[in-house]
Amino acid sequence: MHYIDLRSDTVTQPTKEMRDSIYHAQVGDDVYNEDPTINRLEEMAAEMLGKQAGMFVPSGTQGNQICVMTHTQPGEEIILEEKCHIITYEVGGIGRLSGVQAKLLHGNKGVMAPEDIEAAIREEDIHQPKTGLICLENTHNRAGGTVIPMDILKKTYEVAKKHNIPVHMDGARVFNAATYLKLPVKEIAQYTDSVMFCLSKGLCAPVGSMVVGSNEFIQKARKYRKMLGGGMRQAGFLAAAGIVSLEKMTLRLQDDHYHAQLLAKGLNRIAGIKVDMDTVQTNIIICDISGLKMTGTEFSQRLYDKGIKINGGSASTIRFVTHYWIKEEDIEITLNAVNSIIK
Ligand code: TLP
């Protein structure tokens, strides 16, 4: 059976062009820095994000964790938004791997106020941990794919620099943010010290994420990647798809955003379902279904029976994510299926 898969953009299959480039890729041992395809991908990523260097990593989670390890010392405290991926979905890695504690701030649609961040920075006091890092998520997954406004981002970076604290961006979907803002992605990255972004979400590559930062940062990060088992040898086969991601797939994300708008507007017209349209900025839709007599899990099971896969997030919410393999007709089929479940 063919399913319409709206669970996540992580489910994307590689394109035909990616499969061809994987087949023809030149590879070498990346632990010796001898994989020409990985080297090229890393240079491209650094150039696009306006940073000195890049590093290919197997996953976004590993990329984020390496960045926290590289920026901090055990015993420090790091500032994060309370619903961010690093806190919610990375298995407590920051405590285990970096030995840091989290200072969680409430975000408005996933965006922390620079004033709140400044107030959370620890003082020079014998009792207090040092604030070692500020982590931002752009776009913000659990807030519904929301984008950090540029003025807030700039202000946040100014606060961080005033207190000499590095800023890491979990930019798993930073190209969606750039598409929404209609800006080159380096405009966003200029207000960060490191960015992790994913090739294997909306950009369709089968595996892999990138970390970018200064030469010194990446050199140090490479050692942590090795420690975590992320030295991948002839992984140029994966990087080859990543190059297609950067060259081609970054240019078409507005289609996914358009489909998310269509779907969100259609869902909002259905009694019992609520979508906060302010949060539908990119390719993620979080729906409140507390008006229905059904949990998210029940709802997603019913949709599954009709050939549509989604993530039944919690008791009262469900999530839809659009991506390259979702076409306009799939949106119509999905809305019809939701309507028939409600009826
Ligand atoms: N997000 C996945 C799940 O882990 C929830 C999804 O389906 O959305 N940062 C952000 C903001 C993410 O959304 C994700 C993945 C990651 C990091 C981790 O990337 P991977 O899955 O490559 O480890």
Side-chain angles (χ1 to χ4, degrees):
M1 175 159 178
H2 167 72
Y3 284 92
I4 296 174
D5 199 341
L6 292 154
R7 282 173 302 172
S8 181
D9 43 13
T10 60
V11 303
T12 45
Q13 294 275 325
T15 63
K16 160 96 174 51
E17 191 180 350
M18 286 178 177
R19 289 173 189 270
D20 290 344
S21 66
I22 290 167
Y23 184 81
H24 293 290
Q26 289 192 10
V27 296
D29 191 328
D30 184 50
V31 176
Y32 295 101
N33 292 320
E34 281 176 10
D35 188 304
T37 312
I38 293 185
N39 291 344
R40 179 154 170 248
L41 174 67
E42 291 179 342
E43 280 163 26
M44 280 177 74
E47 156 68 25
M48 282 175 97
L49 280 280
K51 300 289 186 204
Q52 287 176 338
M55 177 176 73
F56 184 55
V57 289
S59 70
T61 300
Q62 192 188 93
N64 277 336
Q65 292 299 324
I66 289 172
C67 287
V68 176
M69 289 171 88
T70 308
H71 281 299
T72 61
Q73 290 294 318
E76 289 183 351
E77 181 170 81
I78 69 173
I79 296 175
L80 312 109
E81 197 277 338
E82 62 188 350
K83 289 183 179 155
C84 72
H85 192 278
I86 293 177
I87 284 298
T88 316
Y89 299 114
E90 298 192 8
V91 209
I94 58 164
R96 177 76 187 235
L97 300 169
S98 295
V100 293
Q101 71 180 24
K103 174 83 178 174
L104 300 182
L105 301 185
H106 176 70
N108 176 18
K109 302 187 200 307
V111 179
M112 295 180 284
E115 301 73 33
D116 293 349
I117 293 176
E118 185 153 34
I121 294 170
R122 299 288 193 160
E123 286 161 21
E124 200 53 57
D125 177 305
I126 195 167
H127 304 91
Q128 298 194 14
K130 181 172 180 271
T131 302
L133 181 65
I134 297 165
C135 291
L136 309 175
E137 188 169 308
N138 201 16
T139 66
H140 195 292
N141 183 347
R142 286 190 71 202
T146 49
V147 177
I148 303 178
M150 287 303 284
D151 56 332
I152 294 188
L153 187 57
K154 181 166 183 277
K155 238 171 147 184
T156 302
Y157 196 61
E158 284 164 3
V159 166
K161 292 304 108 176
K162 183 171 142 199
H163 295 271
N164 210 12
I165 298 169
V167 173
H168 169 65
M169 181 176 284
D170 174 350
R173 298 181 179 85
V174 75
F175 283 95
N176 294 84
T179 301
Y180 172 78
L181 294 166
K182 298 192 172 65
L183 288 175
V185 73
K186 62 169 73 156
E187 297 276 323
I188 297 174
Q190 69 178 315
Y191 300 122
T192 67
D193 296 292
S194 60
V195 181
M196 182 289 292
F197 69 90
C198 295
L199 299 164
S200 74
K201 295 198 166 57
L203 303 183
C204 273
V207 181
S209 293
M210 302 302 301
V211 170
V212 295
S214 68
N215 283 330
E216 194 191 345
F217 178 83
I218 294 296
Q219 203 185 352
K220 199 171 161 199
R222 279 190 195 282
K223 222 158 168 160
Y224 286 121
R225 183 184 68 174
K226 190 77 183 83
M227 185 192 281
L228 298 180
M232 289 192 293
R233 311 295 178 186
Q234 289 76 28
F237 290 117
L238 304 175
I243 290 172
V244 179
S245 291
L246 292 185
E247 283 179 340
K248 301 276 166 71
M249 306 308 279
T250 53
L251 305 176
R252 54 149 308 281
L253 294 170
Q254 68 279 0
D255 294 354
D256 302 341
H257 299 180
Y258 171 67
H259 292 147
Q261 283 291 324
L262 286 184
L263 184 54
K265 283 180 190 152
L267 288 165
N268 240 346
R269 282 195 284 269
I270 299 171
I273 298 185
K274 266 194 252 145
V275 184
D276 177 353
M277 287 306 292
D278 286 349
T279 66
V280 189
Q281 300 171 3
T282 57
N283 68 328
I284 300 178
I285 303 164
I286 310 256
C287 300
D288 179 348
I289 56 159
S290 49
L292 302 175
K293 288 185 185 67
M294 230 185 285
T295 64
T297 314
E298 282 163 350
F299 193 91
S300 53
Q301 182 58 48
R302 297 272 201 97
L303 267 183
Y304 183 83
D305 296 340
K306 292 182 179 296
I308 296 160
K309 295 185 188 178
I310 62 159
N311 263 322
S314 69
S316 60
T317 63
I318 50 174
R319 185 182 80 155
F320 296 81
V321 186
T322 58
H323 53 75
Y324 179 71
W325 298 102
I326 297 297
K327 306 296 172 205
E328 195 159 336
E329 56 268 27
D330 297 324
I331 303 296
E332 215 179 297
I333 296 169
T334 304
L335 286 170
N336 288 338
V338 174
N339 261 311
S340 72
I341 291 171
I342 308 286
K343 276 181 196 145

